[in-house]
Amino acid sequence: MTTGRDDEAAPPGTGADAGTADPASAGGPPGTGASRAGGARPGEPLWGGRFGTPPAPEARALGRSLAFDVRLAAQDVEASVAHARALEAAGLLTAEEAARLEGALREVGAEIAEGRFAFDPADEDVHSAIERGVTERLGELGARLHAGRSRNDLVATDVRLWMREASRRVGGLVRMLVRTLAARAREHAATVMPGTTHGRPAQVVTLGHHLLAHAWALLRDLGRLEDQARRAAASPLGAGALATSTLGLDPAATARRLGFDRPFGNSIDAVSDRDAVQELLACCAILGTHCSRLAADAIRWSELGWAEVDEAYATGSSMMPQKRNPDVLELARGKAGRLAAAFQSLATVLAGLPLGYHRDLQEDKEPLFDAVDTLELVLPALIGCLGTLRFDPAAMRAAALAPELYATDVAEALVRTGVPFREAHRRVGELLRRLETEGRTLRDLTAAEWAAFGLEGGGALLDPDRSVRARAIPGGPAPQSVLAQVDAIEAALAMREGMGEHHETKVRVVEADAAHDWQRIPVPEGDQAPPGEEVVLFRAMDGRFSVGLWRRAPEEGPMEPPYHEMAILLEGEVELTLDDGTVLRAGPGDVIVAPKGARATWRSLSPVRKFWAIYREPEGAP
Ligand code: ARG
């Protein structure tokens, strides 16, 4: 079941319990509204004209989607306003008529949002309800609204508008979860713990490294959501029922008005395809598995006594007084099933469906709403639970002392003395087997035995800190590698902070508390700017502070050189040195602009506590 949310148009309760709170039963008897001049007859569907008999109640009950698609009311109003303006531009409505339509649409939208709208049992869906509301207000003028459009292109448009917001909200939550993991990883960059394969002790790692493994996966989820949003940014409106119209509408203008990147490329595709919904559901399903596996690890750590769930995120037992259960994590783990099912549900509806609109397509909305609702429940709970999880570094360290965790370190130490790895592996294996029969472990080997084994001072290898520090390569578990990962992840997040917002703020500062030297760093791999956009990232040399600059919104089109590459508004004094030797100084309120291709070094001249940066095309820029 979907639940109505405050940030959407659904009146409270209408989404959750269709049986008891169906909007269709909320508005008094049918036909009590104002004049229906030009509209459907009272109690009749919008398409009633061709029919001599009203629909059977059970047919109506099956077909009615109002209980859930009322969540699209705000989007339906926006799309309808854009369509009214398209009719105006085509000369089919006067400016005054279009304005009156817009006013009535917004009134109906506000009534629905506030739960004051009188729904009619004949309202099949939110589109019919809104059109009826407008027609009751405006009579014959209201009846002009539907020219050149169909509910087929309308519903596809509404859903894409809804998804745009939903994808941004989910992305925002994922960013918060990644930030939480990055913060916990920074805290535990040097906390040693046993790493496992097959759930069994394998090699020593750091807790920070393990936490970031989840963060990297979630960053890919963010990338997927962004890709999906770009592909979904095509407006279906103007496609009509399937074949556009003879009315001279301009779908490109409608697309621009609705904030889409472009209009549909093919009207049949526009009304038939639901891959945009599938793709968001695929993103949600994959994200759901990532949340589930993160939860599973946290549950395991709590079972092992390595972590304790804060009381605020734990639950008791109705019978066993001692219990403190990780239900929040268990639900986060279990919801993956529901999210995968949402994808599967729509995939099954679509497979084998010929092109053109079919009512089967109405089945896209409940899985979509449910998946987004589910993530909007799971992600905040995970963020809170992970943010407050109390790790026990001493317990992890104790477990990390288990001698079997060092067998690979010992074999690799032999390799470093020139022994081929297979040979080293066999020798260590034989040593372990012998020790086992003697009831001993690697820790019990004497200095003489280590020497005889070919590793003078080999006992020192059995040290968890030394073991992780020896794996300090990029992407490895050593504390310094973990901190470098945190930097890269935070830089990728900082770059994204501007991406959901159109046109304006492109730079955002994560944190700053000291004077910094600045250096230009490359965009992290896998986080390339979308085509036509340019990203510049800066990182303070001490690694604590990163800024992402996102230069252009996609709808601004490709960049024509020469252009200005970066602009940063600063609080505090900063000196910028360009490659050609030019030195620029900036103080509070200044915008710094460097020409394309310039390489710049930054140096702060005074302690800078806060930075912010806004991109603005400079006066007179080419
Ligand atoms: N409620 C319908 C849906 O969700 C709206 C489109 C109805 N179109 C039609 N031709 N019956 O898909």
Side-chain angles (χ1 to χ4, degrees), residues 47 63-66 68-69 72 124-127 150-152 155 159 274 357-365:
W47 36 261
R64 185 179 292 137
S65 54
L66 187 56
F68 51 88
D69 69 17
L72 299 175
E124 273 191 351
D125 51 31
V126 69
H127 327 289
S150 154
R151 281 179 299 162
N152 301 353
V155 71
V159 167
R274 290 295 182 272
Y357 179 86
H358 302 268
R359 194 60 172 272
D360 314 46
L361 294 175
Q362 181 166 295
E363 292 297 308
D364 62 348
K365 280 171 278 300

Side-chain angles (χ1 to χ4, degrees), residues 207-432:
L207 173 59
H209 192 51
H210 194 137
L211 288 168
L212 290 183
H214 290 291
W216 284 111
L218 292 164
L219 266 188
R220 292 193 294 277
D221 288 319
L222 274 181
R224 265 185 284 275
L225 284 168
E226 290 154 6
D227 290 347
Q228 167 274 324
R230 269 193 289 279
R231 264 187 295 279
S235 170
L237 206 56
L242 82 161
T244 73
S245 73
T246 57
L247 299 177
L249 304 180
D250 179 0
T254 305
R256 275 195 299 279
R257 180 177 289 278
L258 290 172
F260 286 111
D261 286 352
R262 57 199 183 276
F264 56 87
N266 176 299
S267 64
I268 298 177
D269 179 46
V271 296
S272 307
D273 206 65
R274 290 295 182 272
D275 68 355
V277 184
Q278 275 191 292
E279 202 173 347
L280 182 53
L281 285 175
C283 294
C284 292
I286 298 173
L287 173 55
T289 36
H290 287 152
C291 291
S292 181
R293 299 181 77 178
L294 171 57
D297 271 342
I299 291 168
R300 180 167 172 273
W301 295 335
S302 77
E303 281 164 7
L304 291 165
W306 298 352
E308 191 181 26
V309 175
D310 188 85
E311 275 191 7
Y313 296 93
T315 27
S317 155
S318 59
M319 181 169 164
M320 300 165 285
Q322 85 282 12
K323 288 290 249 173
R324 205 162 106 175
N325 295 325
D327 294 33
V328 164
L329 292 171
E330 288 166 345
L331 285 165
R333 185 174 59 182
K335 294 281 187 192
R338 180 178 187 132
L339 290 163
F343 173 82
Q344 180 62 41
S345 165
L346 181 58
T348 309
V349 169
L350 296 176
L353 198 64
L355 292 190
Y357 179 86
H358 302 268
R359 194 60 172 272
D360 314 46
L361 294 175
Q362 181 166 295
E363 292 297 308
D364 62 348
K365 280 171 278 300
E366 283 164 294
L368 171 65
F369 294 153
D370 188 69
V372 171
D373 288 347
T374 298
L375 286 168
E376 290 193 286
L377 285 173
V378 165
L379 287 166
L382 260 186
I383 291 163
C385 188
L386 267 296
T388 55
L389 201 62
R390 268 186 302 283
F391 292 107
D392 187 342
M396 291 187 186
R397 173 172 292 272
L401 293 174
E404 66 266 34
L405 289 167
Y406 301 88
T408 311
D409 299 69
V410 173
E412 287 176 0
L414 282 178
V415 167
R416 286 198 304 276
T417 68
V419 180
F421 179 73
R422 270 295 144 243
E423 161 80 7
H425 187 283
R426 186 184 51 73
R427 273 162 63 180
V428 176
E430 283 167 6
L431 172 65
L432 292 176

Side-chain angles (χ1 to χ4, degrees), residues 137 197 201 203 208 432 447 571 620:
R137 278 171 172 72
T197 67
Q203 286 182 278
L432 292 176
E571 214 179 72

